[in-house]
Amino acid sequence: PGVSIVQSLIGLTGSDDPDARALAVVAMGKLALSQARCRADRVELEGSDRMELKLNSKLDVLAGRVACEERLQDGDRIVRQAAASTLGVMSHPESVAPLVRVWRNDPIKDVREAAYEALQQIAAVLGDDGDDDVKMQIEVTGVLMQEVEGLRTEALACSKALAEIRNNRKRLTV
């Protein structure tokens, strides 16, 4: 057997070219999405071909997931954003901790938002099943996201009110 598509893409994630890295990660996400659709449609193969495909698919998905988690630390924000989105499509509970770290620490808002959306996708796939610690991490992240957004909204409203008060004072003193 030759090298799988996922293995080739994993090789590209180590490229010196950030565009190649981003495209490789996006392609892995599209493959994962295609696999998820096939599972949803209950597409099944017959006999040993089915078993071989299932085994290769699991190994490829594991390797692809690990490669995407590594790309969360990439120096290029597009690569990090693509990696977070792809991990959301893959929806594996092991990706929760790295995604939470990105959501908490990445300096780029779009990357943090992609990580948060990925966490929401994983939560949807887990539903009531899954590890309680994983579900708790996702839930806490959601609560923190809401609280931070609420604080940001309140701070913006306060800033606008202070600016209006200052403008009114200036008009009264003139």
Side-chain angles (χ1 to χ4, degrees):
V3 176
S4 74
I5 293 171
V6 173
Q7 291 298 324
S8 296
L9 293 171
I10 289 169
L12 282 174
T13 65
S15 170
D16 290 338
D17 181 3
D19 292 335
R21 294 192 307 271
L23 287 172
V25 170
V26 167
M28 279 193 277
K30 288 186 178 198
L31 281 173
L33 189 57
S34 174
Q35 287 176 346
R37 285 184 182 139
C38 285
R39 281 192 304 275
D41 293 339
R42 300 192 190 291
V43 173
E44 293 187 12
L45 299 174
E46 296 297 324
S48 63
D49 288 340
R50 177 177 179 224
M51 191 61 150
E52 183 179 333
L53 178 66
K54 191 173 181 181
L55 178 62
N56 288 339
S57 176
K58 283 185 177 183
L59 291 173
D60 284 348
V61 167
L62 173 64
R65 178 182 57 81
V66 170
C68 288
E69 287 173 1
E70 290 170 357
R71 290 298 101 205
L72 289 173
Q73 303 303 314
D74 198 277
D76 186 271
R77 78 160 186 95
I78 298 296
V79 175
R80 294 193 312 274
Q81 185 176 355
S85 295
T86 294
L87 289 168
V89 171
M90 291 178 172
S91 293
H92 196 283
E94 292 289 322
S95 297
V96 169
L99 286 165
V100 167
R101 278 193 297 278
V102 168
W103 175 76
R104 294 179 79 92
N105 299 312
D106 201 280
I108 306 296
K109 182 179 181 185
D110 291 343
V111 176
R112 291 191 309 270
E113 287 176 351
Y116 181 73
E117 289 169 10
L119 290 167
Q120 296 308 301
Q121 287 175 290
I122 294 170
V125 169
L126 287 177
D128 291 335
D129 300 330
D131 183 271
D132 287 339
D133 288 339
V134 169
K135 291 190 296 187
M136 181 63 80
Q137 285 181 18
I138 294 172
E139 187 175 331
V140 166
T141 301
V143 169
L144 287 172
M145 181 76 163
Q146 290 173 352
E147 291 298 321
V148 168
E149 185 60 30
L151 180 61
R152 188 185 72 75
T153 301
E154 288 179 36
L156 184 60
C158 286
S159 295
K160 287 180 180 179
L162 286 172
E164 188 175 322
I165 290 169
R166 286 185 188 123
N167 286 337
N168 286 339
R169 282 186 184 165
K170 286 180 183 177
R171 278 185 263 158
L172 290 175
T173 56
V174 175

